Amino acid sequence: MSQPLLTLDFLDNAPAPAAPGQLSADVRVTEATHTGRQRRLYIESYGCQMNYSDSEIVSSILYDEGFDTTTELAEADLVLLNTCSIREKAEVTVRQRLKEINSHKRKRPGLLVGVLGCMAERLKSKFLEEEKIVDLVVGPDAYRDLPNLIRDVDNGQRAVNVLLSREETYADITPVRLNSNGITAFVSIMRGCDNMCSFCVVPFTRGRERSRDAHSIVAEAQALFNQGFKEVTLLGQNVDSYKWQSEDGTEQVNFAGLLERVALVSPELRIRFSTSHPKDITDEVLHTMAKYDNVCNYIHLPAQSGNSRVLKLMNRTYDREWYLDRVAAIRRILGEDCGISTDMIAGFCSETEEEHQETLSLMDHVKYDMAYMFFYSERPGTLAARKLADDIPLDVKKRRLAEIIERQQQHSLVRSQQGVGKVHRVLVEGVSKRSEEHLSGRNDQNKVVIFPRQHFKKGDYVNVLVHECTSTTLLGNAVS
Ligand code: SAH
Ligand code: SF4
Ligand code: F3S
C-alpha cells in the first residue's frame, strides 16, 4: 500500500475547485517534493477534478517507485500530461503543450514523456504514431501498471496500457495531496459513467461506472480530518448512482447512506459533492443534506438545456418538467438559500432559436448561483457524432453562449445580493489573493467570502456579516 511520507508546503489560495468535467482556469502543475528519491516526476493535469485527483494517485504510485515530484520541467526525468478530451479545445491545448515539451526534449534526450487520462484512452496507440515525442500512453484504469511500463520505456521500448476495468477504484492507494491548501480535499467515490449522454466522451474514456468501497471512503475522510482538513468534496460523474455492497452482500450503501457516514466523521468536517444527475437525485439525498448541518447546502445539478426535445436528443433521460420538479424539491426540502449551479451547452445539434430561449427561461426560473457554460463541440465516436448533424454554425453557437453567459451573470449577482445583510458561516481557506490583510473562504453555498483578517486563520470557521457583494464574491466583517 502506498504511504506518502511527504511534507507538502501547503499553498494558500489554491485554485478554486472545478466540478467533474469542468476545465479549471489553469492547468495544474504538481508541487515539488524533495525527499531524495532518485528520479523526478513533473506532472501537469488538464480537465476535471477527477483528473487532478488521479494525478495524486499517480504521484503516490510513482513515489513508491522512486520518483519525487518537481515543478520545474527542466529538472524532470519523467514528464506526464494527464489529459482531457471533453471538448476539442482541450485536446488542441495538449497537442500544443507536447510541441513545447518536444523542443525541451531536444536539449534533454533522456527525458521520458507520457500521456495519461482521457485523451490517452481515446487515442490509444494512435498517439504514438501521431506524436513521435510520446514514450508512454496510459489510460485512467491502468495507473497501477505505470512502474512496469516505465521499466519498458527505460529499456528502450514505447509502452501502452489503455485497458479499462470494471473493478479498479484505487481504493487502497493513499493519494499524495498535491497543490493543497491543507483545508479542503477531494475524495473520489466512484469511477466511470454508465450514462450515455449523446454529446459526451466520458463513458468511452473512463469506462463503466463502479463505486468505491464505502469503508475506504470514510477512512480517507477520517484520515484527512485527523490531518487538519476541514472539508471534503466527494467526487463522481454521477454521485447519485453511487452503490456499493460488501462482498457477503450484508451491507448495502447508496449515496444518501454514504453522505450520512461521511457526515458523521465529525460535525467540524464539511461535506460537498459533485456531480449530481437530475434523473437520479433523490429526496432521500436532499433529506440527508437537510439533516446534517455539515453537509453543505449546495448542489451542482447540470441541466445542459432547458428544452425537452433537445434534452431527448442529448439522451439526458429527463425533460424540462422533471428538472423543474427536482429544483422544486430542493427548494422545498432545503430552502431558497440552497445554492444551485448548472452546466449548459449552447448550440447542440438542430437546436432552434425558440429552444435556445427555453434554456434562458429555465435559467430565469431557477436563478442559478453559478454555471459552467460551453458551446457544443462534436466528439468523435459519441452517439451525437454518429447520429446527429453538428449543424449550428459556430457564430450562432457563440452568440447563444454569450446570451447564456450574460443571463448567468445577472443571476449570479441577484443570488449574491440575497446574501447581503446576512451572517454566513465561512470556512477560511487562506489569505485573500488581493490583500494580505484579508482572509478568503467559502460559505455553505460555495460562494467566496472575503473579510478582514484580525486574529483569524486558515481552517477557522468564522461567522461573517456580509455588507457588499459582486456577482462572485461576498464582502463582510466577522461577528461573534
Ligand atoms: N458528469 C457530469 C459532467 C461531465 S462533463 C454531468 O453529467 O453533468 C462536464 C460538462 O462538460 C458537461 O456537463 C457538459 O456541459 C460539458 N460537455 C460535455 N461534453 C461536451 C461537448 N461535447 N461539447 C460541449 N460541452 C460538453
Ligand atoms: Fe457524460 Fe452524461 Fe456521464 Fe456526465 S452523466 S459524464 S455528461 S455521459
Ligand atoms: Fe474529466 Fe475531461 Fe476526462 S472532463 S473525465 S478529464 S474527458
Side-chain angles (χ1 to χ4, degrees), residues 349-392:
C349 311
S350 78
E351 182 190 67
T352 65
E353 281 305 322
E354 292 71 32
E355 289 165 343
H356 163 62
Q357 289 299 326
E358 281 202 59
T359 294
L360 297 175
S361 77
L362 182 93
M363 294 174 75
D364 287 341
H365 185 95
V366 181
K367 294 218 170 45
Y368 294 107
D369 292 72
M370 196 269 294
Y372 297 99
M373 297 155 286
F374 317 98
F375 63 78
Y376 174 57
S377 163
E378 187 179 78
R379 308 309 297 131
T382 55
L383 281 177
R386 283 185 276 140
K387 301 242 165 76
L388 304 169
D390 180 14
D391 54 358
I392 307 300

Side-chain angles (χ1 to χ4, degrees), residues 18-252:
Q22 312 310 335
L23 282 170
S24 69
D26 299 303
V27 171
R28 253 189 223 186
V29 178
T30 57
E31 275 172 78
T33 54
H34 298 294
T35 61
R37 311 258 122 187
Q38 282 171 341
R39 298 165 94 183
R40 296 247 168 98
L41 160 68
Y42 173 93
I43 180 165
E44 276 179 12
S45 309
Y46 296 78
C48 66
Q49 195 55 56
M50 301 291 261
N51 254 13
Y52 299 154
S53 195
D54 281 1
S55 290
E56 297 183 336
I57 287 167
V58 167
S59 299
S60 177
I61 291 169
L62 290 183
Y63 178 82
D64 287 353
E65 194 57 23
F67 283 89
D68 271 336
T69 52
T70 174
T71 52
E72 298 300 321
L73 187 55
E75 285 184 357
D77 302 294
L78 170 63
V79 173
L80 295 177
L81 302 188
N82 197 356
T83 62
C84 173
S85 288
I86 201 84
R87 284 167 288 275
E88 194 185 353
K89 190 165 170 278
E91 294 201 353
V92 171
T93 308
V94 167
R95 300 260 192 202
Q96 187 54 41
R97 188 63 179 138
L98 282 171
K99 283 205 183 71
E100 288 163 18
I101 291 169
N102 198 12
S103 63
H104 185 78
K105 189 172 172 168
R106 276 196 224 109
K107 285 177 242 152
R108 291 202 51 201
L111 181 69
L112 306 185
V113 180
V115 180
L116 312 179
C118 292
M119 213 176 152
E121 191 62 50
R122 195 178 83 71
L123 292 164
K124 304 188 170 53
S125 54
K126 256 204 311 197
F127 226 124
L128 296 183
E129 292 156 31
E130 290 173 17
E131 302 283 350
K132 296 285 175 255
I133 177 195
V134 174
D135 303 295
L136 192 66
V137 177
V138 189
D141 286 347
Y143 298 146
R144 280 182 207 269
D145 198 25
L146 268 166
N148 295 325
L149 297 167
I150 289 170
R151 258 171 249 137
D152 289 347
V153 175
D154 284 340
N155 290 331
Q157 296 160 27
R158 296 168 95 195
V160 180
N161 187 343
V162 288
L163 286 177
L164 288 171
S165 157
R166 278 175 176 258
E167 284 93 35
E168 181 62 272
T169 59
Y170 302 108
D172 58 319
I173 295 181
T174 309
V176 177
R177 299 283 161 195
L178 300 163
N179 302 84
S180 170
N181 58 12
I183 304 300
T184 59
F186 291 86
V187 175
S188 181
I189 64 164
M190 57 208 293
R191 298 180 72 82
C193 183
D194 276 356
N195 294 315
M196 273 287 176
C197 302
S198 61
F199 51 78
C200 185
V201 78
V202 172
F204 304 95
T205 61
R206 294 258 159 188
R208 298 303 297 270
E209 180 186 291
R210 65 222 97 121
S211 296
R212 177 179 167 190
D213 183 327
H215 297 288
S216 79
I217 296 168
V218 175
E220 189 174 331
Q222 181 71 60
L224 284 164
F225 184 68
N226 295 347
Q227 287 165 39
F229 284 81
K230 293 285 180 63
E231 182 180 296
V232 293
T233 302
L234 308 179
L235 285 181
Q237 292 296 354
N238 178 1
V239 291
D240 302 290
S241 63
Y242 176 86
K243 203 163 176 237
W244 174 82
Q245 65 171 21
S246 57
E247 262 169 36
D248 60 6
T250 53
E251 215 185 344
Q252 297 188 342

Side-chain angles (χ1 to χ4, degrees), residues 403-472:
E403 288 172 11
I404 290 173
I405 291 172
E406 193 194 340
R407 195 64 60 96
Q408 183 51 44
Q409 279 166 349
Q410 293 164 11
H411 295 158
S412 294
L413 184 61
V414 168
R415 290 293 284 168
S416 286
Q417 283 164 344
Q418 287 169 356
V420 175
K422 293 184 184 150
V423 174
H424 300 249
R425 190 161 190 255
V426 177
L427 172 59
V428 180
E429 291 178 21
V431 175
S432 157
K433 276 182 207 137
R434 298 239 174 97
S435 146
E436 283 279 312
E437 295 310 309
H438 289 76
L439 292 175
S440 167
R442 277 165 206 274
N443 69 2
D444 221 33
Q445 290 77 13
N446 212 29
K447 274 250 154 82
V448 173
V449 183
I450 310 276
F451 63 98
R453 181 178 196 151
Q454 296 172 284
H455 57 282
F456 298 108
K457 60 183 188 314
K458 197 160 78 166
D460 286 349
Y461 285 103
V462 183
N463 289 327
V464 176
L465 174 61
V466 167
H467 54 70
E468 218 184 316
C469 72
T470 67
S471 60
T472 54

Side-chain angles (χ1 to χ4, degrees), residues 334-352:
L334 293 162
E336 284 302 315
D337 273 357
C338 183
I340 307 181
S341 57
T342 189
D343 296 348
M344 289 296 188
I345 298 179
F348 187 65
C349 311
S350 78
E351 182 190 67
T352 65

